[in-house]
Amino acid sequence: MSSYFDGETGKERKGSWRFEQLESIMTRDSTLQKSHVFMHPHDTGLDYTDDELKACQERDFECRLFITGTNCANKTFFLRTRHTDNHEHNTEFNFVRDYLKAAVSTRNHMAAKVTLSRLLTMCFKMSESDRISFSSTIASGLSKNGMNVDFEISDTMVRKSNDIEVTRLKLCVLMHIIFNKVRKHEFLVVNEGSNAFRLFHCRTKYSRDKKTILYAVFSFLLQCCL
């Protein structure tokens, strides 16, 4: 196992020592992928061990998500790729977990609204490249009704294994709210879609309810008559 010098304790540590708790949780609760590979940031430039290399060869190329109620190495949202179970990511993914926890696990609606607001604000401020990366990563986990998402079974996340499928579907609904508002923001603000007809179009484009388009038609006919 690769090792590095930990300046905080003055001791030599194994590369994945901070993820022993995460590995224990994944081994116990993950239903998607049983082989584990954890790369610590200090492992950069170091080779895989024989066990890690064998584990990588057994993994496919799909991106999976693992969400915990326990804080593991200051993270609760983990990207599982072919190469590692703790792929480096930005903080907005942790807000996805906080949003899910508040809305579904603890059912704290005020906290859910606050987290939703913060998550939307971050999405609105992202560059186009970052937004696409964020969206595609989440979409990969949510494909097939969230079948690529796993959760820690605990009182702070998913209480029973029987609830996993329902929680996956609820996560899909919550992220639909996020991406729906992001699309409307792009239409109204980024693309300057600000007149009345575009506003009504925005209300109908991403919805099955097309009744509001009648108001735009009525407004157009009224202006023609005047």
Side-chain angles (χ1 to χ4, degrees):
M1 172 69 72
S2 58
S3 61
Y4 69 96
F5 180 77
D6 182 10
E8 296 179 1
T9 62
K11 298 180 180 179
E12 189 174 11
R13 296 284 193 178
K14 292 182 179 180
S16 60
W17 72 277
R18 291 186 180 180
F19 298 100
E20 291 175 355
Q21 186 180 27
L22 175 61
E23 183 174 9
S24 175
I25 294 172
M26 282 189 177
T27 301
R28 183 191 68 205
D29 298 333
S30 177
T31 60
L32 299 175
Q33 196 161 248
K34 293 301 183 181
S35 60
H36 304 298
V37 179
F38 298 96
M39 299 299 291
H40 191 277
H42 289 81
D43 286 341
T44 303
L46 300 178
D47 295 332
Y48 286 101
T49 64
D50 292 340
D51 291 339
E52 290 171 341
L53 186 60
K54 182 180 179 180
C56 285
Q57 293 172 345
E58 296 173 353
R59 299 156 69 95
D60 56 35
F61 287 91
E62 286 194 57
C63 177
R64 294 179 172 87
L65 311 178
F66 191 84
I67 303 176
T68 68
T70 305
N71 189 318
C72 302
N74 297 321
K75 291 182 180 179
T76 54
F77 187 105
F78 298 91
L79 305 184
R80 307 182 69 185
T81 65
R82 177 177 174 84
H83 307 290
T84 179
D85 284 301
N86 59 313
H87 188 82
E88 283 295 304
H89 61 75
N90 295 326
T91 56
E92 57 264 13
F93 287 104
N94 287 331
F95 281 102
V96 173
R97 174 266 188 183
D98 295 341
Y99 182 35
L100 175 67
K101 179 181 178 181
V104 178
S105 301
T106 62
R107 298 183 180 180
N108 187 330
H109 299 300
M110 182 60 69
K113 290 179 180 179
V114 172
T115 308
L116 172 61
S117 177
R118 296 181 66 179
L119 188 55
L120 283 173
T121 300
M122 287 191 298
C123 289
F124 294 159
K125 292 182 178 180
M126 286 180 187
S127 65
E128 183 178 4
S129 176
D130 289 341
R131 188 165 56 252
I132 292 174
S133 177
F134 173 76
S135 302
S136 59
T137 300
I138 293 294
S140 178
L142 297 183
S143 61
K144 296 177 289 186
N145 293 325
M147 290 303 296
N148 282 342
V149 186
D150 252 340
F151 307 93
E152 178 187 2
I153 307 300
S154 68
D155 292 337
T156 56
M157 200 63 251
V158 178
R159 290 181 173 84
K160 297 182 297 183
S161 57
N162 294 337
D163 296 334
I164 289 179
E165 186 174 351
V166 174
T167 305
R168 287 169 173 168
L169 293 176
K170 289 182 177 179
L171 178 59
C172 290
V173 172
L174 293 175
M175 294 313 301
H176 174 73
I177 295 173
I178 295 286
F179 293 129
N180 187 42
K181 292 184 181 297
V182 169
R183 287 196 298 264
K184 290 182 178 180
H185 175 266
E186 292 179 354
F187 182 82
L188 294 174
V189 179
V190 178
N191 298 329
E192 298 181 351
S194 58
N195 65 46
F197 302 104
R198 289 179 177 177
L199 288 173
F200 282 113
H201 172 67
C202 186
R203 291 183 62 185
T204 59
K205 183 175 182 181
Y206 301 109
S207 173
R208 294 182 180 180
D209 184 9
K210 305 298 182 182
K211 294 179 181 178
T212 52
I213 198 68
L214 296 176
Y215 293 101
V217 174
F218 174 76
S219 177
F220 175 76
L221 294 176
L222 181 61
Q223 290 186 42
C224 289
C225 293
L226 295 176

